[in-house]
């Protein structure tokens, strides 16, 4: 036998090319790509299907502590299972530093949760919540050497917010160690001010989560993050960008020659602030930060996906159950202020981008692969091990049915959440087989493996980071 597995008869799509070919796989890696191959223990017929590099979701939250009485709806097992059914082969969750503790302790705790329980490969970003001298001087450089090469910082949230001095400290440590910084850009003080005003006026329904953090809050923080990065001279990634004004800040920075990268997410393409109206607390199902905006902002996000302002499209999967330990429960409080921020989406990211993007003619197949896989691998130092259909790459492969039409329904999903904010959305294009390093993980609606085969991926420095 030449190969363990051949995938035959499909149409291969990479970030740059589309062509008919067979793929030969040996020991979990792609060992041949040719017009026709034969001699394998197993052949998978991909006739009529697209053959894509497995999706990489570089922004997901799994098992992240989220406050008293609140439990994240997905652990590593359920979150990676849902991701696999959604056509992903690698996810990048966040490892949260507890205040007063070091980054190593945080990583040890997350590895204990993840190792042996993941259905696909996993690599961690580290959230720095307490940038002490030890964290900046020792932990960050050491972790980068060990393959944890990206850091997220927050400009809001009571437990996570860093002030400008602290943000500069993290960015400077990143500059000197070659870490890549992701920034959550929303302004803490303004959100607090507006939240108090809204509460005083009795405006506490989930809908007011949006007005508590309007576009100007995100635009201002985006501008400030870019300015701080400029001062330290370090590239950054602005994550979950939701609107036109923030995009314009990013474009202005790039026009000045700064290396500012940007990410957007499905919720900013297909949800709007109107979804948060609903009866009573129903709007809580859409509470995420930044919040869904208006249709002009959706158009701007699409334009950014088309023209290259965005090169990563992630889910920001951050699931909280609606009925239990999640959106409604914290202390029985009914103000939007207490609703945990975040929505599920790891299983629906690729079908939404494909259907709204490729099927509707906004982006082509190669752009789809770039936005959903290849650029994630490149940006975060995993390419070409991940994100590529190439000889030598991991055989992380998805077969995609471009013609399959489905309606997104909670009852069909595999996440631990009890709802989907995308309920009822009709999509054309769905993953029909997900393969991780040569092993079929999911086929149709069936889990094909008996034990979770996902592994931790240590990463190289981002090519964007200062080396
Ligand atoms: O609302 C959101 N996005 N929750 C997840 C945490 C974050 O800021 O990414
Ligand atoms: Zn310096
Ligand atoms: Zn964030
Ligand atoms: Zn997030």
């Amino acid at each position: 036998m030449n190969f363990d597995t051949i995938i035959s008869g499909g149409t291969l799509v990479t970030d740059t090319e589309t062509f008919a070919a067979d793929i030969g796989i040996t020991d979990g890696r792609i060992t041949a790509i040719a017009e026709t191959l034969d001699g394998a223990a197993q052949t998978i017929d991909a006739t009529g299907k697209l053959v894509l590099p497995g999706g990489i979701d570089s922004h997901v939250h799994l098992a992240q502590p989220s406050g008293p009485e609140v439990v994240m709806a997905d652990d590593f097992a359920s979150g990676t299972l849902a991701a696999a059914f959604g056509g992903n082969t690698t996810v990048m969750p966040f490892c949260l530093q507890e205040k007063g503790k070091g980054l190593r302790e945080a990583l040890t705790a997350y590895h204990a949760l993840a190792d042996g329980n993941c259905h696909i490969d996993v690599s961690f970003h580290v959230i720095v919540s307490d940038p002490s001298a030890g964290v900046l001087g020792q932990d960050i450089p050491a972790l980068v050497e060990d393959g944890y090469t990206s850091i997220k910082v927050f400009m809001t949230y009571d437990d996570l917010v860093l002030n400008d001095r602290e943000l500069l400290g993290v960015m400077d440590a990143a500059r000197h160690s070659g870490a890549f910084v992701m920034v959550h850009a929303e302004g803490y003080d303004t959100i607090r001010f507006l939240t108090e005003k809204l509460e005083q006026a009795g405006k506490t329904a989930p809908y007011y989560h949006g007005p508590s953090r309007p576009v100007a809050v995100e635009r201002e923080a985006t501008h400030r993050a870019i300015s701080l990065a400029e001062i330290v001279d370090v590239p950054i990634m602005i994550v979950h960008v939701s609107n036109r004004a923030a995009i314009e800040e990013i474009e202005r920075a790039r026009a000045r020659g700064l290396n500012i990268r940007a990410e957007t997410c499905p919720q900013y393409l297909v949800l709007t602030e109107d979804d948060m109206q609903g009866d009573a607390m129903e709007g809580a199902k859409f509470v995420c930060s930044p919040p869904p905006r208006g249709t002009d902002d959706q158009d701007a996000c699409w334009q950014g996906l088309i023209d290259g302002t965005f090169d990563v499209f992630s889910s920001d999967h951050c699931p909280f159950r609606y009925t239990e330990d999640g959106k409604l429960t914290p202390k029985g409080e009914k103000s939007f202020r207490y609703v945990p921020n975040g929505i599920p989406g790891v299983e629906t990211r690729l079908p939404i981008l494909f259907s709204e993007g490729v099927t509707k003619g906004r982006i082509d197949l190669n752009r789809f692969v770039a936005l959903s896989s290849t650029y994630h691998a490149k940006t975060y130092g995993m390419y070409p091990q991940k994100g590529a259909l190439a000889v030598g790459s991991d055989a992380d492969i998805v077969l995609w049915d471009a013609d399959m039409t489905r309606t997104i329904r909670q009852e069909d999903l595999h996440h631990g959440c009890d709802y989907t904010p995308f309920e009822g959305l009709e999509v054309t294009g769905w993953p029909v087989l997900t393969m991780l390093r040569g092993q079929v993980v999911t086929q149709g609606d069936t889990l094909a493996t008996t034990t979770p085969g996902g592994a931790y991926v240590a990463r190289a420095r981002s090519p964007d980071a200062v080396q």
Side-chain angles (χ1 to χ4, degrees), residues 1-180:
M1 291 294 164
N2 301 326
F3 306 105
D4 300 333
T5 304
I6 291 173
I7 299 176
S8 75
T11 301
L12 277 57
V13 186
T14 71
D15 61 327
T16 53
E17 290 177 288
T18 306
F19 56 102
D22 291 357
I23 297 182
I25 298 164
T26 312
D27 294 334
R29 294 203 176 186
I30 296 174
T31 46
I33 297 178
E35 211 167 304
T36 47
L37 294 169
D38 51 21
Q42 169 190 230
T43 298
I44 296 173
D45 180 10
T47 307
K49 304 290 186 296
L50 301 176
V51 180
L52 315 174
I56 302 174
D57 195 338
S58 58
H59 188 152
V60 306
H61 303 265
L62 300 174
Q64 193 175 304
S66 306
E69 297 175 63
V70 176
V71 181
M72 197 161 271
D74 276 311
D75 57 17
F76 283 87
S78 65
T80 57
L81 182 72
F85 276 107
N88 299 282
T89 49
T90 304
V91 287
M92 301 185 66
F94 293 88
C95 167
L96 172 67
Q97 177 202 12
E98 278 181 57
K99 282 203 160 73
K101 296 192 179 171
L103 302 185
R104 279 282 172 207
E105 288 160 277
L107 281 165
T108 303
Y110 277 79
H111 272 290
L113 295 172
D115 296 353
N117 294 319
C118 295
H119 292 274
I120 60 172
D121 285 354
V122 168
S123 190
F124 292 108
H125 310 288
V126 181
I127 293 173
V128 173
S129 66
D130 189 357
S132 63
V135 164
L136 300 183
Q138 282 102 51
D139 287 8
I140 290 176
L143 292 185
V144 169
E145 289 302 321
D146 286 354
Y148 305 94
T149 56
S150 46
I151 296 168
K152 187 177 177 190
V153 289
F154 286 78
M155 299 171 77
T156 189
Y157 293 137
D158 289 338
D159 298 330
L160 299 174
V161 58
L162 303 188
N163 64 33
D164 290 359
R165 172 69 188 81
E166 292 169 324
L167 291 168
L168 287 163
V170 175
M171 288 180 187
D172 192 47
R175 187 184 201 290
H176 290 282
S177 58
F180 188 52

Side-chain angles (χ1 to χ4, degrees), residues 201-355:
K203 295 178 172 174
T204 57
Y207 174 75
Y208 294 102
H209 173 76
S212 79
R213 47 221 309 145
V215 162
V217 164
E218 186 181 341
R219 185 194 63 215
E220 179 277 326
T222 303
H223 180 84
R224 182 154 45 100
I226 290 168
S227 302
L228 299 179
E230 181 177 1
I231 286 161
V232 178
D233 187 22
V234 71
I236 54 170
M237 165 77 72
I238 309 288
V239 292
H240 45 49
V241 175
S242 74
N243 72 81
R244 184 180 295 281
I247 290 169
E248 287 169 355
E249 293 293 343
I250 292 159
E251 287 173 347
R252 264 197 291 278
R254 287 188 179 172
R256 292 207 310 279
L258 301 179
N259 185 5
I260 304 298
R261 309 287 304 277
E263 170 201 81
T264 192
C265 314
Q267 43 273 38
Y268 308 119
L269 302 181
V270 298
L271 301 179
T272 68
E273 56 207 346
D274 291 341
D275 290 306
M276 298 177 70
Q277 294 272 11
D279 292 342
M281 292 300 282
E282 274 284 307
K285 292 180 177 175
F286 304 91
V287 168
C288 58
S289 293
R293 309 287 188 186
T295 51
D296 178 63
D297 293 309
Q298 291 182 335
D299 292 346
C301 289
W302 272 116
Q303 192 53 41
L305 289 168
I306 293 162
D307 68 22
T309 297
F310 298 115
D311 28 42
V312 290
F313 182 76
S314 306
S315 67
D316 195 6
H317 180 76
C318 187
F320 298 102
R321 279 180 284 271
Y322 181 63
T323 52
E324 169 206 349
D325 301 329
K327 291 288 191 186
L328 301 183
T329 42
K331 301 189 189 72
E333 298 276 4
K334 291 296 180 217
S335 170
F336 67 84
R337 179 206 289 252
Y338 301 99
V339 176
N341 288 195
I343 58 176
V346 75
E347 196 168 350
T348 46
R349 174 186 69 122
L350 296 180
I352 290 172
L353 182 64
F354 192 93
S355 185

